[in-house]
Amino acid sequence: SHHPEEKLTLFDLVDQEPVCPYCLIFGPHKNHPCVRLEELEEKVRDDIEEEITQVRERSGKIDELRKSAVQYMERLETVTADLSDKIDAKFAELEAELQQRKTTLRHHLLTLKNRKSMEMVQKLSQVLALERRHAEGWRNAQALLDRSTIFDMFDLKAFIEENMRDLLEMDLPTIRRTSEASISL
């Protein structure tokens, strides 16, 4: 800029500015390394083009990565939805199976309860029948006693022994349980 009439054709590498040949030889830029502006322009253009090429390559790679990420996310959403549907279906299946098992268990319990109730009613009926029989036997024995003599006692003894065998053959704990169970019903 000291010589406006001179064309700036060189570039001072120390001061980083364009200079004329006169300033480089005789002026303030004396003995500074320099390059021709045309060469520098070419080098800068090449560097810029190289940078642009690298940016485009990086941009292309970024686009590929973005597309790949989008595809991965879409696949992930699909897989997630499928898994969620499968989990829901399995849960519904297990819930239905559990409900079926509950129903079956309730049915079995009612059946067992009814069967046990019937068994208890039968045993209770047997106990009541035996009780009536024995009560009748004891009434008959009392009546015999009332009208008997000492000689008739032998007949009474045989009658009591026969009825006692029936009583002793009964399972007393079963009779008690049956009676208690019928009371709790």
Side-chain angles (χ1 to χ4, degrees), residues 66-180:
R66 186 189 56 77
K67 287 177 187 175
S68 177
V70 167
Q71 290 173 346
Y72 178 77
M73 290 303 293
E74 288 172 353
R75 282 194 309 266
L76 188 61
E77 287 174 4
T78 302
V79 167
T80 301
D82 288 347
L83 282 175
S84 180
D85 291 344
K86 287 178 181 177
I87 288 170
D88 290 344
K90 189 65 175 176
F91 181 76
E93 179 185 323
L94 290 173
E95 195 171 37
E97 184 179 336
L98 180 63
Q99 189 61 37
Q100 177 63 36
R101 286 183 181 186
K102 281 183 184 177
T103 303
T104 302
L105 283 174
R106 281 188 189 123
H107 176 72
H108 285 306
L109 284 174
L110 285 173
T111 303
L112 285 173
K113 184 178 176 184
N114 289 340
R115 189 178 303 144
K116 287 292 182 187
S117 294
M118 291 300 291
E119 288 174 7
M120 284 190 272
V121 166
Q122 288 172 349
K123 287 186 180 188
L124 190 58
S125 296
Q126 290 171 354
V127 166
L128 291 175
L130 281 173
E131 226 177 73
R132 279 192 301 269
R133 224 171 89 205
H134 289 293
E136 186 179 310
W138 286 111
R139 275 194 302 273
N140 289 339
Q142 186 64 42
L144 275 174
L145 245 162
D146 288 345
R147 36 177 205 177
S148 70
T149 62
I150 212 89
F151 297 107
D152 294 330
M153 289 299 214
F154 293 109
D155 291 335
L156 179 60
K157 179 183 174 197
F159 173 80
I160 290 174
E161 285 176 353
E162 179 183 317
N163 285 309
M164 285 304 285
R165 253 184 277 124
D166 288 345
L167 247 177
L168 292 174
E169 288 174 3
M170 281 189 64
D171 182 10
L172 289 179
T174 303
I175 294 170
R176 282 192 191 112
R177 278 196 312 266
T178 305
S179 300
E180 289 169 2

